[in-house]
Amino acid sequence: MNVHRPLSREDLPPTESLRRLGREILFFSEIDSTNAFLLRQAGVWPDGTLAFAELQTLGRGRLGRRWLAPRGSSVLCSALLIEDVDVEWLTLLPMLAGLAAAEAVEQATGLAAGVRWPNDIVLAGRKLGGVLIESVALGSAARRAIVIGVGLNVLQQAGHFAPEIVSHATSLEIASPSPVDRPAIARALVERLDAWLSSAAAPDAAQIRRAWLARSQDLGTRSRLVHDGRVFAGTIVDLDEHGDLVVQLDQGGMRCFRGAVTAREW
Ligand code: BTN
């Protein structure tokens, strides 16, 4: 793997070009998890704080899984949002962040990245990255800290992936015919996330849904989903306005699945 220099402030968009993100930007050579850090310190840092790491020793994935990435191989980024407790659009954040990440990949590399419900960024049918949204109540006030975590595989070779994911994981280094510029991916990610988060007081659910569906390769495909210990097989027919997946079940009937509590077989 061709490990590049650590990411730094100069790699990212100038603060004055950003509307919500980047009031504070933290760079860690090593940390347990950028998500865990911002959740722990949510009362300390302002809305829009960004945290990047070269290495996470306890990187977290969805549904309690680990997120592993060799030092310097990836863009590992978390963004802190401070919001009122009742944010109706919270369930849309995995879509919003996945879209931003896919757009960033396309902007920086020209590769047509897609999204896969609920939180995957995909390239040529393989997982290029993922999104993890976590949140915590802030003190006694009716405020909530929300952390958007994004991991993008940039410089890994196939041998860097664990045996259980190697058949469906990819990186930009593997997929791209041209040299890959990790700082350019980080820069584009911050730009696209900031653009989606700043488009209005609350992100526009209809616009997110439209843009997400346009990048999704899910519609019409067969899927097996695990929910409440039961396996459901069926055909994906839609994404609803809350970001839930709508599936025509083989056993008959239509059912919606919520991303936060549903596992999906690859
Ligand atoms: C998934 O696909 O399961 C989600 C992976 C999210 C990984 C990112 S890397 C930056 C941030 N910090 C973490 O510990 N996890 C997220």
Side-chain angles (χ1 to χ4, degrees):
M1 187 178 64
N2 181 13
V3 176
H4 289 237
R5 61 176 173 74
L7 295 172
S8 68
R9 184 68 192 84
E10 294 67 50
D11 297 320
L12 301 183
T15 313
E16 58 277 13
S17 70
L18 298 171
R19 281 175 287 181
R20 179 156 189 184
L21 299 181
R23 277 177 60 201
E24 297 279 358
I25 308 183
L26 311 167
F27 295 92
F28 295 100
S29 169
E30 183 172 324
I31 190 134
D32 52 352
S33 145
T34 51
N35 266 33
F37 173 84
L38 285 180
L39 287 172
R40 274 195 306 270
Q41 301 225 346
V44 175
W45 299 97
D47 178 78
T49 297
L50 291 166
F52 287 87
E54 295 301 313
L55 177 71
Q56 295 185 127
T57 53
L58 287 172
R60 322 211 276 219
R62 209 169 69 87
L63 303 173
R65 296 176 186 137
R66 293 286 308 276
W67 186 260
L68 301 170
R71 172 179 288 280
S73 66
S74 301
V75 171
L76 306 171
C77 170
S78 297
L80 174 68
L81 306 181
I82 309 290
E83 287 284 346
D84 293 336
V85 168
D86 295 324
V87 276
E88 285 169 12
W89 44 269
L90 195 60
T91 57
L92 291 169
L93 272 184
M95 269 88 237
L96 179 151
L99 259 178
E103 290 171 353
V105 167
E106 193 162 312
Q107 185 175 310
T109 66
L111 296 170
V115 288
R116 180 178 183 275
W117 188 90
N119 71 326
D120 295 335
I121 297 104
V122 291
L123 205 51
R126 288 177 174 239
K127 179 156 173 159
L128 181 71
V131 169
L132 178 65
I133 310 293
E134 297 182 277
S135 76
V136 67
L138 271 187
S140 55
R143 307 284 280 168
R144 197 152 193 89
I146 301 162
V147 175
I148 302 175
V150 180
L152 282 171
N153 302 330
V154 181
L155 297 173
Q156 287 96 331
Q157 304 287 355
H160 290 111
F161 294 114
E164 60 275 18
I165 64 164
V166 69
S167 63
H168 65 255
T170 193
S171 74
L172 291 174
E173 182 75 16
I174 294 170
S176 173
S178 329
V180 179
D181 181 359
R182 190 172 68 117
I185 311 293
R187 182 187 178 90
L189 176 63
V190 172
E191 280 172 7
R192 293 313 306 149
L193 253 186
D194 186 67
W196 276 105
L197 288 169
S198 318
S199 50
D204 179 339
Q207 197 192 354
I208 293 171
R209 183 174 166 274
R210 260 198 315 276
W212 192 92
L213 284 172
R215 275 190 189 265
S216 162
Q217 286 127 39
D218 279 340
L219 288 191
T221 64
R222 307 224 3 104
S223 189
R224 280 166 61 84
L225 300 150
V226 185
H227 178 79
D228 258 350
R230 292 169 62 199
V231 178
F232 296 88
T235 303
I236 298 173
V237 292
D238 203 359
L239 180 82
D240 75 11
E241 70 278 15
H242 308 293
D244 294 351
L245 196 69
V246 186
V247 178
Q248 170 69 61
L249 298 176
D250 291 350
Q251 67 202 53
M254 209 76 93
R255 187 178 164 130
C256 293
F257 293 88
R258 181 136 289 195
V261 288
T262 307
R264 181 170 177 192
E265 290 179 7
W266 190 263

